[in-house]
Amino acid sequence: TWTRNNAATPCRRSNVSAAMQLSTPVALPAAPFQLDPDRHVLTLGSCFAQHIGQHIADALPAGHALVNPFGPLYAPRVIAHHLGVLLDTQPLPDATYFEGREGLWHNRWFSTHVSAGDAATCRAHTAAALMQARESLRRADVLVLTLGTDRHYRLHDGRLVANCHKQPAADFTEQADTVDVLTLLLLEAVGRLRTQRPDLHIVWTVSPYRYAKYGLHASQLSKARLLLAVDAVCAADERSVYFPAYEIVLDELRDYRFYARDLLHPSDTAVEFIAERFAGWCFSPALCRFAAERARLMRAQNHRPLHPESDEHRAFRAKLREEVELFTEKWGFSPF
């Protein structure tokens, strides 16, 4: 059953001593659910959603988490649109496919992971990815949505695009949405979602990536609009909750050591820190144990020996097979 997680779990680690506190911890809301090993998660949103989603996928059984099936999505307008695509049953419009300058075929609503050297293969890749994403939304217990910016791109004829695929900037127009428009877009998307998935938990986050190309003041204004819109959605939808990843990076970490070399993206350390906070927030004790045991077996599976023909390595592999069988019997899922 789904219960509130009001206590720390074995996943959570703290490096702040009781005697000396060197940062301002960001308080987390009460988690309205706990993730167990049998749950399913879908993530959509910015590159930050990709990183956090991968940590979730590594913790859950294989196939229980689908991370950014469209590729990175940054704007609420695009994310709202793509939620509608997932709720639909129709194939994508022909007009979303095009041949790029480099000779590859792309789909404007997906990133390059569906691109191919010919139109038929691109369509097949896209159809398969869309089918997988729709099935994931149908099965998901939790949907994680990460918003990046209030700005979106359109072709000159008004068609919305999710990815520009390195086509000339002159082919597109950039538009920013107001707080009221963002709020309306997200509320309408959640309303449509609730007609098919009234029980789905939605976790909202805002990416801490800094859009220096807008200027840092404009970047902060963009984030403020996203935060206000998400706050309104969470107030209106009882199964929506905001996870403060943005605040953790800006307030709790608050140091350029936690940014990548470009000083715009959160560093790997910052992402891992937030992933640990997320795990401590909503992972059940059972999932923490499952994830730890699975990670150990994954490390053993991926070990590359210097002498694979040795008796020592054959014994290692035999022991690993035995441990995998015990793990599968214990949890009901294979670790791989």
Side-chain angles (χ1 to χ4, degrees):
T1 59
W2 292 83
T3 58
R4 287 190 176 271
N5 184 20
N6 294 319
T9 74
C11 291
R12 184 169 184 174
R13 301 200 303 268
S14 175
N15 59 0
V16 179
S17 70
M20 181 179 293
Q21 182 173 300
L22 300 178
S23 65
T24 305
V26 174
L28 303 182
F33 60 86
Q34 284 193 327
L35 278 180
D36 292 314
D38 61 343
R39 301 302 181 183
H40 291 77
V41 176
L42 171 63
T43 75
L44 297 174
S46 71
C47 295
F48 188 72
Q50 181 80 28
H51 299 316
I52 296 300
Q54 192 56 56
H55 281 271
I56 298 172
D58 290 342
L60 289 169
H64 279 226
L66 183 61
V67 180
N68 275 12
F70 294 98
L73 307 174
Y74 300 99
R77 182 178 290 274
V78 174
I79 292 174
H81 171 269
H82 279 47
L83 284 173
V85 171
L86 292 182
L87 294 171
D88 198 359
T89 58
Q90 300 301 313
L92 298 186
D94 290 341
T96 60
Y97 296 93
F98 74 100
E99 185 177 12
R101 293 181 299 172
E102 73 286 5
L104 291 176
W105 278 82
H106 309 283
N107 188 283
R108 298 193 187 276
W109 293 352
F110 280 80
S111 65
T112 55
H113 67 286
V114 301
S115 300
D118 60 87
T121 304
C122 178
R123 285 175 178 269
H125 290 172
T126 304
L130 181 59
M131 181 182 301
Q132 183 186 30
R134 285 173 172 169
E135 175 62 17
S136 178
L137 180 60
R138 189 188 67 79
R139 301 176 64 188
D141 301 290
V142 177
L143 172 64
V144 180
L145 299 174
T146 300
L147 311 182
T149 174
D150 60 345
R151 306 186 184 207
H152 62 275
Y153 290 87
R154 295 180 181 273
L155 297 172
H156 292 302
D157 61 8
R159 286 181 290 158
L160 185 69
V161 300
N163 195 302
C164 296
H165 292 286
K166 298 182 179 180
Q167 300 305 298
D171 292 351
F172 307 94
T173 58
E174 181 181 341
Q175 302 174 13
D177 289 313
T178 66
V179 174
D180 289 342
V181 170
L182 292 171
T183 302
L184 181 61
L185 286 169
L186 295 178
L187 285 173
E188 288 179 344
V190 171
R192 291 194 300 271
L193 188 58
R194 291 298 176 216
T195 63
Q196 296 188 25
R197 293 300 318 274
D199 58 337
L200 179 68
H201 290 278
I202 306 177
V203 178
W204 298 86
T205 64
V206 171
S207 169
Y209 174 78
R210 304 158 73 230
Y211 283 88
K213 67 179 181 179
Y214 303 156
L216 293 182
H217 179 62
S219 177
Q220 287 292 82
L221 291 176
S222 174
K223 301 295 184 181
R225 295 183 189 102
L226 300 181
L227 291 167
L228 288 168
V230 168
D231 191 62
V233 173
C234 291
D237 182 60
E238 64 179 7
R239 285 185 172 264
S240 283
V241 63
Y242 175 70
F243 182 81
Y246 178 81
E247 291 79 3
I248 290 173
V249 173
L250 268 70
D251 293 308
E252 185 166 340
L253 301 182
R254 191 186 280 270
D255 193 301
Y256 277 112
R257 291 177 299 166
F258 297 106
Y259 281 87
R261 293 188 66 178
D262 64 3
L263 302 181
L264 301 175
H265 290 84
S267 68
D268 292 343
T269 301
V271 172
E272 289 174 9
F273 184 87
I274 294 169
E276 288 181 5
R277 294 292 303 276
F278 187 89
W281 178 62
C282 70
F283 282 19
S284 71
L287 180 55
C288 290
R289 294 192 297 271
F290 176 91
E293 293 177 22
R294 183 186 185 220
R296 183 180 64 82
L297 293 177
M298 290 290 291
R299 287 192 298 269
Q301 174 72 6
N302 295 330
H303 174 65
R304 293 295 177 263
L306 290 175
H307 303 288
E309 72 284 357
S310 67
D311 291 340
E312 181 182 17
H313 182 66
R314 281 195 288 269
F316 171 82
R317 299 301 299 181
K319 180 174 177 55
L320 177 58
R321 287 193 294 271
E322 179 181 346
E323 291 182 344
V324 168
E325 291 176 1
L326 291 173
F327 177 94
T328 304
E329 181 180 353
K330 174 182 178 180
W331 293 105
F333 301 104
S334 170
F336 311 132

